[in-house]
Amino acid sequence: MAPSAITTERNEIPVPKVDVHVSTGTALLHRDLHRDPSKVVSASGNYLTLSNGQVILDATGGAAVSCIGHGNQRVKSAIAAQLDETAYCHTLLFTSSGAEGLAKALIDSTHGEMAKAFIVSSGSEAMEAAMKLARQYYLEVSPPQPQRTRFIARNESYHGTTLGALSMSGHRARRAKFEPILLDNISRVSACNTYRGMRGSETAQDYVERLAQELDDEFQRVGPDTVCAFVAEPVVGAALGCVPSTPGYFKAMKAVCKKYGALLIMDEIMCGMGRCGTLHAWEYEGIAPDIQTIGKGLGGGYAPIAAILINHRVVDALDKGTGSFAHGQTYQGHPVSCAAALEVQNIIREGNLVENVRVIGDYLASSLRARIGNHPNVGDIRGRGLFLGIEFVKSKASREPFPPALKIANTIFTRAIDPKYSMTTYPGTGTADGYSGDHILLAPAYNVTHDVIDKIVETIGKVIEEVFQEISES
């Protein structure tokens, strides 16, 4: 049986409940206790093979993770070579060639903007580390600023599933169950979403100026000398469906942060490491953050890994202060994960795959617009590179979302993965206001070819037409 929804550690998608409990017999706590997900028995390139023989086109790389496809022999060999050296060493005492090599490659890729890398095992861990580092920075500067304990983030955002990262997130449905135990030192401003946030009479410059003023006002409201950092995704992933920032937005936001002495943290867990057509999403923005989180495309799914990249300003403060970051995890800088990620990054660089993301990404976007852009229930097609979102609406004119009870995104996902179509999409909800609104993501591998893109576009076109035809007839 095909799974009813996809979930990831950082991007939870609600799954529909069944009326009768079914004991599945598994000892593993799956995302849905009432049904088992399908078992993948092999994977190669853009395709997954299930235990029932079904072959599925992976048009999303899981959760925008499998950036070089599945089953790469070079990565397997790199993992084996690191295992021959050491599988694990405690970073309190030791380092490894995998960790050192990956950190150097990452810092070199920032063209001098970043100074150090801190390597962890998941995106949520990276956000937790970024929050703690931002706080510690203000204890290490001279003179210290211990009153800085607050963060400003954005509505309709998602930064992770652990309590600190979820506290930073603004996606209301994902926060709802845990509100009583979330941090209260985080406030939010509007997302940068031209489709839903830009007023009819505004130019792009007007919109950016309004959002910058909103951020400035929030600094003033909470006390400008109490804020550690402003946190935002350059391209919002699962929470909004690949919504890119308006040109000039991050330059304006960084100016506000600089005005009040706060840090800028860019969350590139989903949109970074080549996914949007530049290795780092901030390169497109024309500015570099003080702290950057990266994850999914870093290791391409071959091992659990994420990281934070830290600029010279922050590292220098620690260097002149205590000389250490008061944070550590058992599996930080894990040698095997680092070796896998380093080889993934080597493959991306040597194959010029980021350029391919730009070229093929433009082809995917234009093909989607030609195939489904005029569909009455397709409100917006947006994104950058191979990170595209499709938002669904009841009416193009009103942009009114469908009622959450209809589960539009999940229905499209379920239909697409059915043997009739055998393709993954990545569903998301809460697109309009945190509760209502539906979208899907497409995020194929960086080395995807035109013929596979054609198949993705035609398949999703047929699925969308079929689902909405059934809805109109019901």
Side-chain angles (χ1 to χ4, degrees), residues 10-86:
R10 282 175 46 88
N11 301 295
E12 183 178 356
I13 307 298
V15 295
K17 298 299 180 184
V18 296
D19 295 330
V20 180
H21 175 74
V22 177
S23 177
T24 63
T26 178
L28 184 61
L29 182 65
H30 290 297
R31 302 301 180 105
D32 183 348
L33 273 66
H34 298 149
R35 64 182 69 186
D36 290 348
S38 301
K39 183 184 293 184
V40 175
V41 296
S42 66
S44 179
N46 296 298
Y47 292 90
L48 307 169
T49 301
L50 306 184
S51 57
N52 64 3
Q54 183 182 0
V55 178
I56 293 178
L57 170 56
D58 187 5
T60 62
V65 173
S66 299
C67 57
I68 62 168
H70 302 279
N72 187 279
Q73 187 57 51
R74 281 182 56 177
V75 181
K76 293 180 186 179
S77 298
I79 290 171
Q82 181 60 60
L83 286 171
D84 285 341
E85 290 184 13
T86 182

Side-chain angles (χ1 to χ4, degrees), residues 1 6 136 141 150 185 223 282 287 383 414 441:
M1 180 181 293
I6 286 180
Q136 186 177 338
V141 294
R150 299 190 61 88
N185 62 331
W282 53 257
I287 59 101
T414 304
L441 274 62

Side-chain angles (χ1 to χ4, degrees), residues 253-322:
M253 299 302 110
K254 187 169 185 178
V256 175
C257 292
K258 184 176 181 180
K259 176 180 177 180
Y260 296 114
L263 300 177
L264 172 62
I265 299 175
M266 283 191 178
D267 179 350
E268 298 195 9
I269 298 295
M270 201 170 196
C271 67
M273 300 313 296
R275 174 57 64 187
C276 290
T278 55
L279 187 63
H280 305 288
W282 53 257
E283 293 178 272
Y284 184 94
E285 308 295 340
I287 59 101
D290 297 293
I291 299 172
Q292 170 191 0
T293 60
I294 55 177
K296 298 180 187 299
L298 175 59
Y302 286 89
I305 192 164
I308 61 172
L309 304 183
I310 313 153
N311 76 357
H312 296 272
R313 168 189 177 187
V314 176
V315 171
D316 287 349
L318 267 63
D319 183 49
K320 294 172 183 176
T322 61

